[in-house]
Amino acid sequence: MREGSSLLFPEDSSGERPVQRPTHEAHDRGQPVPIQVEYRILDPRAPLPPNILAAVHFGPQSLGAALHGASPALEIEVGLLPLRQPAPTELWFSHGPVRSGRDGIVRYACDDHFLFALIEEPEDAYPGICAAGEAVYAALKRFQEQSAFPHLLRIWNYLDAINEGTGDMERYRQFCVGRACGLGLGDGANLAGGSATGLRRYPAATGIGHQRRTHHVQVFWLAARQPGTAIENPRQVSAYRYPRIHGPVSPHFSRATLAADGTLLVSGTASIVGHTSRHHDDVLAQAEEILRNLAELRGQASIPAPVPVHAETSQTETNQVETQQAGVNHAAPIRTASDDISGGHPARDLMKVYLRDPALLAPVAARLRRSWPDPQILFLAGDICRRELLLEIEGIQPLRQPLPAADPRTIT
Ligand code: 3EB
């Protein structure tokens, strides 16, 4: 591996690896294709909407694969309990024809611009979570090295019983060891603090624990033909530089990826300042800290903060989702550049909120609603990778760029 670059997230793809040639190289040079994603409540009896690259379903029930099998989209079932019903599906829209397939343990779907891929491995096929994580990440790395979509933008990691085990044997910490080994980043001792390798560029990520046993390690990712930019948060020590007290091997991810189209893909963000967990037993204080971290990240990516909402809404949660789906967006002050091509679904911030204790939903939801004018927020019950943390929030923030004032679409 070349010093200073990462196979996961190469500095420069030109001539660096034998990739399949892109079908439409012009796209690589031209205007970046927008990432289009939304949460939508689907009729479980209906087929997936057209033009879907990937559909991420949440909940214990197996909803997607059997019923939606006609679509080439990659369908993913995340076994975390949604805290509001009906639960939306996360839909990643395609741009042009979708091809799907399987390569070893990797299932994938791609269009000409983006690839979504999934590995789900039964844990009992391995001696432990470390070995399972290593196998998953070795397969991911191998796949990505051959891929026509060499730029890994975003990874999600879901595992069972994430806080089980003590000290360095905690399953999350062991998963981090396996992840680094699978990526070929050397043994744990060399990686503590992340400085030994010189590797600095990682995709954004989420690492969350299932609250019921699925017996599987589930890792899925978004990769692109065009590179993104890794963003770090000055309020937080980069995760890959965490000191040894947090485990034998640092977690390898960036705080966010700014994709080529300006979409900010924000990693799971917790109440961590420096490298230390803050506000151990106070979920609202953790929420405030997370909002500060998110605001700092937005600043780093030069995206203006959303305008606070002062009026409480009387709509039910379901109505809010439906209103947003209809494209009504009274709170957002500006339209976004990708509105033009999103077929009547204005680009919006998406947030996914993982709560260790579902009983804390009401106060957290009330607090978040004050800061985010038009979020589509998906609340899930999930365990955070440090046991003192009660809350973690990830996000997708589309490019915000005012259209010219004369454009009639800016008049609301
Ligand atoms: C943190 O900041 C919180 O191991 O992939 C967030 C996002 C966290 C991703 C991962 C872990 C991961 O350290 C935990």
Side-chain angles (χ1 to χ4, degrees), residues 137 154-157 162 172 175-176 179 204-208 236-237 239 242 250-255 267-272 275 384-386 389 392:
Y137 268 84
R154 183 68 169 88
I155 306 190
W156 289 263
N157 303 280
I162 197 166
Y172 171 67
F175 176 79
C176 289
R179 167 167 52 189
T206 290
I208 287 289
Q236 299 186 297
V237 172
Y242 280 167
S250 303
H252 285 88
F253 65 95
S254 293
R255 297 300 179 185
S267 288
T269 303
S271 175
I272 296 173
H275 61 82
I384 322 303
C385 63
R386 297 184 187 182
L389 296 174
E392 187 170 301

Side-chain angles (χ1 to χ4, degrees), residues 99-308:
R99 290 178 290 117
S100 55
R102 188 169 194 129
D103 178 1
I105 61 173
V106 181
R107 286 173 48 207
Y108 63 88
C110 59
D111 59 19
D112 282 341
H113 312 277
F114 297 104
L115 168 127
F116 234 96
L118 165 71
I119 300 177
E120 281 171 339
E121 279 293 89
E123 244 191 273
D124 63 9
Y126 301 89
I129 185 67
C130 176
E134 178 175 356
V136 166
Y137 268 84
L140 177 156
K141 178 172 184 268
R142 193 185 141 276
F143 181 89
Q144 282 302 123
E145 284 171 352
Q146 311 295 325
S147 174
F149 307 84
H151 302 286
L152 203 99
L153 303 182
R154 183 68 169 88
I155 306 190
W156 289 263
N157 303 280
Y158 296 105
L159 45 149
D160 289 357
I162 197 166
N163 300 128
E164 199 177 278
T166 49
D168 286 348
M169 294 312 292
E170 187 180 38
R171 281 167 51 86
Y172 171 67
R173 295 183 178 195
Q174 287 297 309
F175 176 79
C176 289
V177 175
R179 167 167 52 189
C181 291
L183 291 172
L185 298 176
D187 68 33
N190 288 338
L191 276 165
S195 55
T197 60
L199 299 179
R200 290 176 183 203
R201 296 163 60 84
Y202 302 101
T206 290
I208 287 289
H210 298 123
Q211 294 192 337
R212 342 177 158 195
R213 297 275 169 172
T214 69
H215 305 283
H216 285 73
V217 176
Q218 183 180 53
V219 174
F220 53 91
W221 66 94
L222 171 69
R225 286 229 159 96
Q226 293 197 331
T229 305
I231 308 281
E232 291 299 318
N233 185 345
R235 298 186 83 232
Q236 299 186 297
V237 172
S238 294
Y240 50 82
R241 296 187 185 283
Y242 280 167
R244 178 67 181 80
I245 50 167
H246 299 293
V249 178
S250 303
H252 285 88
F253 65 95
S254 293
R255 297 300 179 185
T257 300
L258 185 60
D261 71 321
T263 300
L264 187 64
L265 302 164
V266 180
S267 288
T269 303
S271 175
I272 296 173
V273 179
H275 61 82
T276 310
S277 303
R278 296 286 171 94
H279 321 297
H280 283 208
D281 294 313
D282 186 341
V283 76
L284 285 178
Q286 289 194 12
E288 295 300 334
E289 207 65 78
I290 290 170
L291 290 169
R292 283 190 283 273
N293 281 333
L294 295 173
E296 185 70 35
L297 270 176
R298 264 197 309 275
Q300 290 296 306
S302 304
I303 293 176
V307 174

